[in-house]
Amino acid sequence: GAGASLASYVYVTPPSWRQQVLPDRILLSSPIYGNGEACQLNMFPWRSSSQPLDNEAIGAFRAIFQTDPLSTYPSPPPTLARGTSPQGWEYFTIRKLVGGQEGEARTKGAILLVARVDSEIATIIGTSKDFMVSNCFGLLRGDLWPEFFYTLQFKNARPSGQEHAAIQQRLAGRWIMAKGNVGLQYTFQANGRYADTAATQFRTPTSSNQVSETTTGFFGNGSYSIDGSTLVMKRDDNKRTAYFFRVEQVSRDSGRTWADELCLMEPGSTGEVCYRRE
């Protein structure tokens, strides 16, 4: 029944949001923000499925929002992501604007996640204002989705014990992020060691037609461990940091090409930093 199915969801409700357990779903509702925005997260009963997970996600998005999630007009292409959680459940997410063009008042942000445990499918849908102005799943004002995702578990998932090794294998390699005048890099080894590099560049005008560039670099080495959705890194100088993390494949061109991404988020923060595999 729907009640037992809904009881399988384990999650943390975003701060100041309200939870309602309805006969056909779990509804999490945000407060009404100053811009009139009211966001929702809906978790639906499990259902049986034998289709590939991407087909399930695309079909569900079309049925619910009455639009093709892979379209590139009137809104930009979706952000698609696929991966496997530390619990061993496979997931596929679609993040796309619906209802109008980017920047229009009528345009809404939609996030759909489907997850598979054995032959059962869970469906979660988040809605907000346009991601550019949203207080809930926004690109500029903070995004609550990563924190909700990192707390998400399912009571009916039964880890096989191989998830830790599989995640460590996916994590191994070099990951880089460059934004503005800051560059970050992590290199993870399968034996539990890592190295990090950070560089900051400053540009200072020295005359009307000359600019002086100064680059400051930072380097470190240490060991890492994985505890569920948490990556714990301990530098050789005993400095310890912990991040929520996920390793997944992401497409921003409607699924034509995919790239590996590593995303890290400090507990208590309102955003995450994502790296691409080099």
Side-chain angles (χ1 to χ4, degrees), residues 148-164:
F148 172 78
F149 176 84
Y150 289 127
T151 70
L152 184 63
Q153 298 184 49
F154 303 112
K155 292 180 181 178
N156 55 333
R158 299 175 179 83
S160 66
Q162 304 301 314
E163 289 77 17
H164 183 281

Side-chain angles (χ1 to χ4, degrees), residues 48-266:
S48 298
S49 172
S50 59
Q51 290 192 69
L53 207 53
D54 56 344
N55 290 350
E56 284 287 351
I58 293 168
F61 199 101
R62 285 174 176 157
I64 293 167
F65 296 105
Q66 296 296 298
T67 188
D68 181 3
L70 303 183
S71 66
T72 59
Y73 181 84
S75 60
T79 297
L80 310 176
R82 60 192 183 192
T84 304
S85 81
Q87 268 195 308
W89 39 270
E90 178 189 5
Y91 66 87
F92 194 102
T93 62
I94 301 173
R95 187 181 183 114
K96 185 174 175 61
L97 298 178
V98 297
Q101 296 183 356
E102 189 173 38
E104 293 182 337
R106 61 175 179 162
T107 304
K108 303 295 183 184
I111 302 174
L112 181 142
L113 177 143
V114 291
R116 171 176 281 125
V117 176
D118 297 326
S119 61
E120 297 290 306
I121 296 290
T123 304
I124 300 175
I125 295 172
T127 54
S128 69
K129 279 185 174 288
D130 188 324
F131 299 131
M132 291 299 295
V133 299
S134 176
N135 294 276
C136 309
F137 309 129
L139 297 173
L140 302 176
R141 302 186 183 184
D143 187 356
L144 296 174
W145 176 261
E147 187 173 5
F148 172 78
F149 176 84
Y150 289 127
T151 70
L152 184 63
Q153 298 184 49
F154 303 112
K155 292 180 181 178
N156 55 333
R158 299 175 179 83
S160 66
Q162 304 301 314
E163 289 77 17
H164 183 281
I167 290 175
Q168 196 161 356
Q169 184 176 5
R170 293 198 300 271
L171 183 62
R174 181 177 298 169
W175 304 87
I176 62 173
M177 186 281 292
K179 187 174 183 180
N181 63 340
V182 177
L184 301 173
Q185 174 180 290
Y186 284 104
T187 301
F188 295 95
Q189 299 178 13
N191 63 2
R193 295 286 297 173
Y194 81 92
D196 64 342
T197 305
T200 304
Q201 187 179 77
F202 300 94
R203 297 168 61 89
T204 305
T206 57
S207 68
S208 60
N209 58 358
Q210 288 185 327
V211 175
S212 173
E213 292 186 356
T214 304
T215 301
T216 304
F218 308 88
F219 307 90
N221 295 279
S223 60
Y224 72 91
S225 59
I226 297 171
D227 181 11
S229 295
T230 303
L231 177 66
V232 180
M233 292 185 283
K234 184 178 180 180
R235 293 169 59 110
D236 290 340
D237 60 7
N238 290 323
K239 181 179 179 181
R240 180 183 180 275
T241 55
Y243 300 95
F244 292 122
F245 84 107
R246 67 179 187 272
V247 182
E248 59 189 14
Q249 289 188 311
V250 176
S251 173
R252 294 180 173 84
D253 58 6
S254 299
R256 287 188 292 275
T257 61
W258 295 82
D260 292 339
E261 282 194 4
L262 163 66
C263 294
L264 304 177
M265 188 180 79
E266 292 188 67

